[in-house]
Amino acid sequence: MSARGYSTRRFSFAAGHRYWVDAWPAARNEETFGRLTVPHGHNYTLDVTVHGPIDPETGMVIDLAELKRVVGETVVERFDHADLNADPVFRGRVPTTENIAVAVWDLLAPKLGVERLWQVRVWEDPTLYVDYRG
Ligand code: NI
């Protein structure tokens, strides 16, 4: 049996958002989210971890160039310099760090395979991150 490895590649994107539930009156949004209702931006860091057996010949879990290409095309190009509230993946979902992690997972799982994708970690800033594992 071959050894298993967990490989992580880091990405970054800058995006804008605000916390707002359309179905709620403004007063309830302001009470719940405070200043987060005001549109603002973050420089997000995204760590995508894949896992699997370390191929005895290549010594790799996944072709990390392929991982870079897939995440770049699927997530970074989509979210970089974007208004997250306007993206269909956040229709009816507040673009919190939690929901961004879920959205990234949902975008990547069909491309990387749920058996290979292990974890999505989204950093909103150096003090806050959310992990999602499907
Ligand atoms: Ni924010």
Side-chain angles (χ1 to χ4, degrees):
M1 203 178 126
S2 53
R4 292 182 71 80
Y6 294 72
S7 302
T8 301
R9 189 135 205 170
R10 175 162 284 187
F11 302 84
S12 58
F13 60 90
H17 72 168
R18 70 189 292 225
Y19 289 7
W20 192 268
V21 176
D22 286 332
W24 291 357
R28 185 169 175 198
N29 275 287
E30 276 148 23
E31 206 177 279
T32 305
F33 300 124
R35 293 204 32 92
L36 301 177
T37 58
V38 179
H40 60 277
H42 296 283
N43 293 311
Y44 290 97
T45 298
L46 167 63
D47 294 327
V48 177
T49 303
V50 294
H51 72 134
I54 301 170
D55 186 292
E57 287 181 307
T58 65
M60 299 190 295
V61 167
I62 189 176
D63 179 349
L64 289 167
E66 184 207 343
L67 180 62
K68 185 178 182 181
R69 182 183 59 77
V70 169
V71 179
E73 289 175 1
T74 310
V75 176
V76 178
E77 282 179 26
R78 180 171 184 145
F79 290 161
D80 194 29
H81 293 87
D83 169 7
L84 297 178
N85 296 75
D87 191 299
V89 297
F90 296 112
R91 187 162 296 147
R93 281 202 281 190
V94 183
T96 57
T97 312
E98 293 88 330
N99 279 337
I100 295 170
V102 173
V104 168
W105 177 282
D106 289 345
L107 289 168
L108 289 178
K111 306 228 166 168
L112 296 172
V114 284
E115 71 291 342
R116 273 203 307 189
L117 187 56
W118 171 255
Q119 176 176 277
V120 167
R121 174 171 289 179
V122 178
W123 297 80
E124 186 182 85
D125 65 43
T127 70
L128 170 70
Y129 68 80
V130 172
D131 291 336
Y132 184 68
R133 292 181 182 168

